[in-house]
Each structure stands twice: as C-alpha cells, then as structure tokens.
C-alpha cells in the first residue's frame, strides 16, 4: 500500500471514529479530525503529517 492509499484509509477510519461523537459541520471539526489523523499516521505508519494549522500558521482555519 502506498502513502496516498494509507492516507485515504486513515481518513475513512477517522471519519468513522468521529461519526456520532462530533458533528462534522461544527466549527473546529477540522482540527479534531486532523489531530486524530496525524496521531494515527505518525504512530502506526511512521508517516509525518502536517495539519492545516501547521501548514498555514499565518491564517485561521475553522
């Protein structure tokens, strides 16, 4: 499995984990989603992942 496939797989996993716990339309959802995604990618797959906030420190994202 290549890096893009792993990232897609983790995206789906995180969506399922958060489903019913966090409203995907709420303000700040992206931060919760990306924090969990980063945790899984780095701990389980050794893939370095930067969140939107880390990539764009000069702007606010919600």
């Amino acid at each position: 499995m290549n890096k893009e496939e792993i990232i897609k797989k983790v995206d789906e996993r995180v969506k399922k984990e958060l489903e019913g716990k966090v409203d995907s339309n709420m303000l700040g959802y992206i931060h919760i989603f990306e924090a969990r995604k980063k945790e899984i990618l780095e701990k389980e797959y050794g893939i370095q992942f930067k969140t939107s906030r880390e990539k764009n420190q000069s702007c606010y994202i919600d």
Side-chain angles (χ1 to χ4, degrees):
M1 195 177 320
N2 67 35
K3 186 176 177 178
E4 288 93 28
E5 291 172 331
I6 292 170
I7 291 171
K8 286 180 185 177
K9 178 181 172 182
V10 171
D11 278 342
E12 290 302 315
R13 176 177 164 185
V14 173
K15 285 178 190 174
K16 287 180 183 177
E17 282 183 15
L18 296 178
E19 193 174 292
K21 296 176 184 172
V22 181
D23 182 358
S24 62
N25 294 313
M26 77 174 212
L27 191 63
Y29 173 82
I30 190 69
H31 302 296
I32 297 166
F33 180 88
E34 287 187 339
R36 181 64 179 135
K37 179 179 176 177
K38 178 179 179 142
E39 180 182 12
I40 293 169
L41 286 171
E42 291 182 355
K43 286 184 179 178
E44 295 183 22
Y45 296 96
I47 296 173
Q48 293 298 310
F49 176 78
K50 285 191 173 189
T51 65
S52 299
R53 184 183 294 175
E54 293 170 330
K55 289 185 227 177
N56 304 294
Q57 293 180 356
S58 62
C59 63
Y60 293 100
I61 299 170
D62 269 326

